[in-house]
Amino acid sequence: MTGRSPLDTLKATGVPVREAVPEDAVAGVLPSWVAAPGGVGEVAEIMRAASSLGLAVVPSGGRTKAAWGRPPERCDLVVDTRAMDRVLEHEAGDLVVRVQAGVTLDGLAAALAVHGQELALDRPLDGATVGGTLATATAGPRALRYGTARDLLIGITVVLADGTVATSGGKVVKNVAGYDLGKLFTGSYGTLGVIAEAAFRLHPMAAERACVTSAHPVSEDLGPLLRRVTAAQEEVSAVEIDWPDPREPYTLTCLVEGVGAQSRASAVRELLGTRASVGGEPPGEWARLPGETFVLEARVRQDDLYDAMLAVAGTVRVTGVEAAVRGWAAPVSVLRIALRTDDGPAAGDAAGAAFVTALRDMVEPGGRVVVVTAPEEIARRVDRFGHIGALPLMKRVKERFDPDRSLSPGRFVGGI
Amino acid sequence: MPGDTLTLLADRLRGPLGDQWVITDPVRLRTYECDGLTYHRATPGLVVLPETAEQVSAVVRACAEAGVPFVARGAGTGLSGGALPRTDGVLIVMSRMRRILSIDLPNRRAVVEPGVTNLAVTEAVRADGYYYAPDPSSQQVCSIGGNVAENSGGAHCLKYGFTVNHILALEIVSPDGDIMQLDALDPGYDLLGAFIGSEGTLGVATKITVRLTRAPEVVTTVLAAFPGVAAGGKAVSAIIGSGIVPAAIEMMDALAIEAAEAAVACRYPEGAGAVLIVELDGPAAEVAGHFEQVERICREEGAFEIRVADDPAERAAIWKGRKSAFAAVGRISPAYIVQDGVVPRTALPGVLARIAELSAEHGIRVANVFHAGDGNLHPLVLFDDAEPGAGERAEHVSGMILDLCIEHGGSITGEHGVGVDKARYMPKMFTEDDLDTMQLVRCAFDPKGLSNPGKVFPTPRLCGEVPGVRKGVHPLVESGKAEQF
Ligand SMILES: Cc1cc2nc3c(=O)[nH]c(=O)nc-3n(C[C@H](O)[C@H](O)[C@H](O)COP(=O)(O)OP(=O)(O)OC[C@H]3O[C@@H](n4cnc5c(N)ncnc54)[C@H](O)[C@@H]3O)c2cc1C
């Protein structure tokens, strides 16, 4: 150990390690070094070295969500998974794929499309990796039919803070042997371990797709529309709400997939009234985040979506903050709300924070309002995560997995 | 000594639960000595039948304080000994908690107590055109709480997923006795998902919010008869490979068919070496399209007879043989072991052939009835318990079948759970580090290891002090720049 620098110790693992540059910052916090392991073994090596040095480690993927979550309290080493970009196994007949965590969803989609298959997850951001998608539990409109990442994940390999490698699940679609660590790591924001590999259940790509689009004034109650559309025997796969300005009408897009999609879509159109029209593929902005720098997520039950929309419209009116909204219906329905607070920093920050508080007051306790990402000044003034029933248990899980708090400390709620 | 502890515990619980719901009479205790896997038996030290979450909490808290293990029991249909009682512990029977608390169709959900049977949920919403999708064959009797604990599946899980994909929230009593809410709405660690399938080792579920699924417009059931399992297996691969996700694909081999005929006279096509039941559901247009493909594929792979059911009566006739299969084996064999291994679907033909070889090599008959669509085998290993050594041989073959599943990258259990029965196979499927890491979850929920101990894991992990070993305080914490929770 004498005289050896931490960088030397990290490099002695054989894993590529470099000094960090400003672009490596995680939620505004600059690490000292960045390691780029090529596989699970190298992740373990680097974690063991980091742990021996007492370094705080933050895993990172495509960096599309590097500004999400709270800034880590400490961040010495970033473990960049982007070199771990191999599809490890894809037996098309099994409809299962096993990948390294640094594979991007886009890259994976292209590889699977060749076989007429897909991982049925929406892609809100270009360049997002499998690992980052799991760690932040990002979802999209197709959750209505396919569930979210946790529902499609069938196996996971993670590396803990001390370098322990652990696998749960496997590569078969049906499996109840042991605890499901995949679930635990979904939404863990890098605070429990580094996700190194994942296996997913795939779906055949739909033979046909069709969309039904309709515009509705805010005064028109979404509730009955949604009930009709989601109960329709034509089996709608997804319902997206696009609402670029909460003072203006919103657009509904219903996605129908599979054999007879066109004719089924025509039947769905009848349910939405005369203004609805049937088209082909979903619009280009489908499932995309409505903004980048200041985004909230309201999470509610399906039948509470319209109330949540009214709450957003009301909050826009009261706070004067501009907003753009995109959301979807599912068992956990989501409105993603992008806020613009560009009228002078101080006033803007106060208004932004006021927006979060006001909206949360209306949406809780039936739903949740989460600050996905926000400018630093605003983030400091608000509680990012709001009410979480099982927070004490989550803290206990964190204590067991990472007793030294060396993984992404403070990125998640309650100091986790 | 443990007897004294339990006597004190019983006295303490009579107040909150009421005298008649605290059972100490040895004869009555005996009625709870096993679940569906009857060769593991233990008479519980004490049985309680709570009616509310608060009562469950009182029981669990009392256990935690006295250091007494407890085991939750639903309907006792489990097939891995998960609800096997502890002679030194308390069995918490959920059968009095069987109210459906609310049905919320606009939100496609119902809130039920854990003792409600799986089928009761569907029956409560059927008239409105909804149902609860996970459908274990035991659905008339098994409880939703048991389903949650086992992450149970069923024939239709191929398309619709397992219990974990249909639970939106849980109220649990943690192993300390605290009542907690796990909700899919919450951001952060998916503890809801982690609890489901944990086989009662992370606490007791006291309220369950299930997702309701819209009944499909059309259901078409196809029965295809093949000369043998190899051809049937190829048809399964071809159907899946063609981009169809049927609601169910089930297979039975000749021996299973023979048993079913003997028991319920299901009249499957004569001379069939295997039958495949393929159920398609969904929008009429889609089902019609898929049906044509399925029929063509089956013929191409050598099906010599195909029957189609479009109404409930015909459908029931086709399913009759399949649904009775487990019980029916009793007609052709005095005793049997049910396995629950899983293999990748493409490995099915090879694995089935190997099982046939194992069967021939050891002179042990194996009947196959299984969820072919997702590679979940249920080999029924038949033996005569009156014949010396037969049980051991059957056990041996049964273990070799599990080895075969692991070799092919599969699993030792697809839906019945590990329980006590398969705990010893866990190290074949997982490394010590895997198992230790899983048990960190256990340590977080249940550091004293009182909730259903001895199940799932072959060796319990000692949890140690909370929060475990620390390597000294970080400089930032010391300087007050960061706080530790
Ligand atoms: C004929 C037959 C057919 C079957 N078919 C299928 C099938 O198709 N698919 C399938 O998946 N299974 C099947 N099973 C297995 C069994 O029915 C399921 O595992 C079922 O979910 C068990 O429910 P139960 O209420 O009987 O639970 P029990 O057997 O009473 O308990 C099972 C486990 O759940 C725990 N538990 C029970 N209630 C709670 C609670 N409220 N909170 C926490 N833990 C709890 C127990 O401690 C135990 O570990 C079958 C069984 C039989 C006998």
Side-chain angles (χ1 to χ4, degrees):
Chain A
M1 276 301 284
T2 43
R4 206 183 197 193
S5 74
L7 184 58
D8 290 339
T9 305
L10 292 174
K11 282 190 166 164
T13 58
V15 178
V17 182
R18 60 174 173 81
E19 304 266 3
V21 296
E23 289 70 43
D24 295 314
V26 178
V29 181
L30 191 63
S32 303
W33 309 284
V34 177
V40 60
E42 290 197 353
V43 176
E45 288 288 333
I46 205 76
M47 293 304 286
R48 269 194 291 273
S51 150
S52 74
L53 293 164
L55 302 182
V57 177
V58 176
S60 137
R63 297 195 52 84
T64 57
K65 298 175 276 275
W68 291 24
R70 294 171 41 169
E73 287 160 20
R74 298 177 284 128
C75 175
D76 303 312
L77 175 70
V78 159
V79 173
D80 179 347
T81 59
R82 278 176 295 188
M84 298 170 34
D85 62 352
R86 278 184 305 134
V87 172
L88 297 169
E89 216 179 328
H90 174 222
E91 179 69 62
D94 291 331
L95 280 163
V96 164
V97 74
R98 209 162 62 78
V99 298
Q100 289 188 305
V103 166
T104 62
L105 290 187
D106 315 79
L108 182 56
L112 296 172
V114 177
H115 301 275
Q117 299 184 352
E118 65 167 346
L119 172 58
L121 290 177
D122 291 297
R123 284 171 270 153
L125 292 159
D126 292 331
T129 59
V130 161
T133 300
L134 289 171
T136 53
T138 35
R142 294 211 297 167
L144 181 64
R145 171 155 183 185
Y146 300 96
T148 59
R150 54 94 86 171
D151 296 296
L152 300 173
L153 182 70
I154 56 173
I156 196 166
T157 299
V158 298
V159 181
L160 305 190
D162 64 1
T164 301
V165 177
T167 296
S168 93
K171 56 170 191 171
V172 283
V173 292
K174 198 170 183 185
N175 181 2
V176 295
Y179 291 166
D180 190 346
L181 296 177
K183 297 285 186 304
L184 197 68
F185 275 70
T186 306
S188 63
Y189 276 87
T191 61
L192 294 179
V194 181
I195 298 170
E197 293 174 7
F200 292 98
R201 162 182 190 184
L202 303 175
H203 283 85
M205 262 159 81
E208 259 180 75
R209 309 224 281 180
C211 283
V212 187
T213 309
S214 55
H216 305 268
V218 186
S219 59
E220 187 174 347
D221 190 346
L222 176 66
L225 287 178
L226 267 188
R227 273 176 238 161
R228 251 180 283 156
V229 167
T230 57
Q233 295 287 15
E234 284 72 25
E235 259 183 31
V236 170
S237 298
V239 183
E240 187 178 54
I241 300 153
D242 183 17
W243 200 22
D245 181 347
R247 285 163 294 221
E248 298 292 325
Y250 58 90
T251 304
L252 277 190
T253 303
C254 300
L255 174 66
V256 182
E257 297 173 293
V259 179
Q262 279 292 330
S263 62
R264 285 155 56 201
S266 302
V268 172
R269 184 185 52 193
E270 302 298 311
L271 303 173
L272 287 166
T274 47
R275 287 157 300 178
S277 65
V278 176
E281 287 294 305
E285 288 299 291
W286 175 266
R288 310 296 287 182
L289 280 193
E292 277 175 16
T293 45
F294 189 4
V295 182
L296 314 181
E297 216 171 75
R299 301 160 63 86
V300 297
R301 297 170 189 184
Q302 180 178 311
D303 210 43
D304 295 341
L305 255 179
Y306 184 61
D307 283 344
M309 287 173 67
L310 292 181
V312 171
T315 313
V316 164
R317 233 179 0 256
V318 175
T319 59
V321 176
E322 301 276 318
V325 181
R326 198 187 294 277
W328 63 86
V332 174
S333 297
V334 172
L335 291 179
R336 285 193 178 128
I337 307 146
L339 301 178
R340 284 188 297 276
T341 54
D342 37 22
D343 47 329
D349 293 347
F355 191 103
V356 177
T357 312
L359 184 64
R360 190 172 278 152
D361 279 348
M362 286 188 262
V363 170
E364 280 186 355
R368 311 280 185 272
V369 174
V370 176
V371 179
V372 170
T373 181
E376 237 178 287
E377 280 309 307
I378 299 175
R380 199 165 305 161
R381 294 167 189 245
V382 295
D383 170 5
R384 281 176 181 250
F385 292 96
H387 173 81
I388 299 178
L391 188 57
L393 263 180
M394 289 187 195
K395 287 185 175 175
R396 278 154 61 176
V397 170
K398 168 72 173 178
E399 285 167 357
R400 291 295 173 180
F401 275 76
D402 181 22
D404 297 323
R405 292 187 81 236
S406 56
L407 268 160
S408 308
R411 283 217 86 186
F412 184 51
V413 60
I416 289 179
Chain B
M1 185 56 189
D4 289 347
T5 315
L6 287 174
T7 310
L8 289 174
L9 205 63
D11 291 343
R12 174 172 168 184
L13 293 174
R14 282 199 180 89
L17 265 71
D19 248 357
Q20 72 269 46
W21 307 119
V22 177
I23 297 171
T24 51
D25 166 29
V27 178
R28 290 182 63 201
L29 290 179
R30 282 276 298 282
T31 56
Y32 296 100
E33 68 184 359
C34 65
D35 62 9
L37 192 68
T38 51
Y39 50 83
H40 292 282
R41 287 172 196 267
T43 306
L46 181 67
V47 170
V48 296
L49 292 101
E51 200 187 11
T52 64
E54 288 68 28
Q55 290 179 350
V56 174
S57 161
V59 172
V60 172
R61 198 178 297 287
C63 288
E65 284 168 16
V68 169
F70 59 90
V71 178
R73 177 187 167 103
T77 67
L79 292 175
S80 53
L84 181 74
R86 297 274 302 206
T87 50
D88 60 347
V90 178
L91 189 72
I92 308 174
V93 179
M94 311 306 290
S95 57
R96 289 178 67 223
M97 295 180 68
R98 53 192 326 147
R99 285 176 304 163
I100 293 178
L101 299 172
S102 68
I103 292 171
D104 177 2
L105 291 180
N107 278 314
R108 303 285 148 72
R109 51 172 69 200
V111 181
V112 306
E113 290 184 333
V116 169
T117 63
N118 175 296
L119 193 61
V121 179
T122 288
E123 276 170 354
V125 294
R126 202 200 306 268
D128 298 299
Y130 289 87
Y131 71 111
Y132 175 61
D135 59 340
S137 313
S138 51
Q139 67 180 158
Q140 291 198 3
V141 276
C142 69
S143 73
I144 294 288
N147 293 174
V148 165
E150 301 287 0
N151 187 17
S152 297
H156 293 81
C157 288
L158 176 59
K159 177 170 175 183
Y160 293 97
F162 315 99
T163 301
V164 70
N165 308 113
H166 296 269
I167 302 296
L168 300 173
L170 287 176
E171 176 189 87
I172 64 162
V173 170
S174 77
D176 302 330
D178 295 334
I179 298 178
M180 297 186 143
Q181 312 297 328
L182 309 181
D183 196 321
L185 284 173
D186 284 341
Y189 310 155
D190 183 1
L191 297 184
L192 176 68
F195 186 94
I196 296 165
S198 64
E199 305 193 21
T201 60
L202 299 180
V204 183
T206 48
K207 205 175 279 171
I208 297 158
T209 305
V210 301
R211 179 183 188 182
L212 302 173
T213 303
R214 183 80 168 107
E217 182 178 19
V218 173
V219 181
T220 295
T221 310
V222 181
L223 178 89
F226 292 86
V229 285
K234 280 170 74 186
V236 172
S237 295
I239 291 169
I240 300 277
S242 72
I244 300 174
V245 182
I249 308 185
E250 303 282 305
M251 183 142 74
M252 292 168 71
D253 71 1
L255 199 51
I257 298 169
E258 181 193 324
E261 294 291 356
V264 296
C266 50
R267 302 197 197 294
Y268 285 167
E270 203 134 329
V275 294
L276 212 56
I277 299 174
V278 183
E279 192 151 282
L280 299 163
D281 72 9
E286 189 167 71
V287 171
H290 285 169
F291 168 69
E292 265 176 40
Q293 286 190 61
V294 167
E295 191 183 23
R296 184 176 43 75
I297 290 169
C298 286
R299 295 235 183 261
E300 280 169 12
E301 299 299 343
F304 62 83
E305 186 174 336
I306 292 179
R307 295 180 190 164
V308 184
D310 288 314
D311 68 51
E314 288 172 8
R315 192 156 47 247
I318 287 183
W319 276 105
K320 190 171 168 191
R322 166 62 185 94
K323 292 206 165 162
S324 70
F326 276 20
V329 192
R331 296 291 186 112
I332 59 164
S333 177
Y336 62 93
I337 299 171
V338 187
Q339 276 304 0
D340 179 38
V342 187
V343 294
R345 323 178 225 237
T346 47
L348 268 180
V351 169
L352 289 171
R354 182 70 193 125
I355 291 177
E357 284 171 22
L358 286 175
S359 158
E361 283 162 23
H362 293 83
I364 287 283
R365 292 189 301 165
V366 179
N368 284 294
V369 192
F370 57 100
H371 308 300
D374 36 33
N376 186 191
L377 302 169
H378 284 322
L380 297 151
V381 182
L382 314 184
F383 64 100
D384 181 351
D385 44 1
E387 183 193 323
E392 287 72 24
R393 267 188 297 140
E395 185 65 37
H396 181 64
V397 167
S398 174
M400 288 175 86
I401 292 174
L402 288 189
D403 289 342
L404 197 57
C405 293
I406 296 171
E407 251 167 59
H408 283 83
S411 170
I412 56 172
T413 172
E415 54 182 19
H416 295 167
V418 177
V420 280
D421 194 47
K422 291 182 206 79
R424 68 205 152 100
Y425 292 101
M426 288 289 275
K428 294 191 177 188
M429 193 171 155
F430 295 107
T431 67
E432 204 170 307
D433 280 347
D434 297 341
L435 295 174
D436 275 354
T437 304
M438 289 178 192
Q439 291 197 75
L440 290 175
V441 183
R442 175 71 183 271
C443 290
F445 276 75
D446 183 20
K448 293 188 203 131
L450 294 178
S451 190
N452 209 6
K455 314 292 165 70
V456 186
F457 300 103
T459 19
R461 180 185 177 129
L462 294 176
C463 293
E465 289 294 297
V466 184
V469 213
R470 276 184 188 285
K471 296 177 193 138
V473 182
H474 192 277
L476 277 180
V477 177
E478 215 160 40
S479 66
K481 288 203 187 98
E483 59 171 26
Q484 204 124 359
F485 57 78

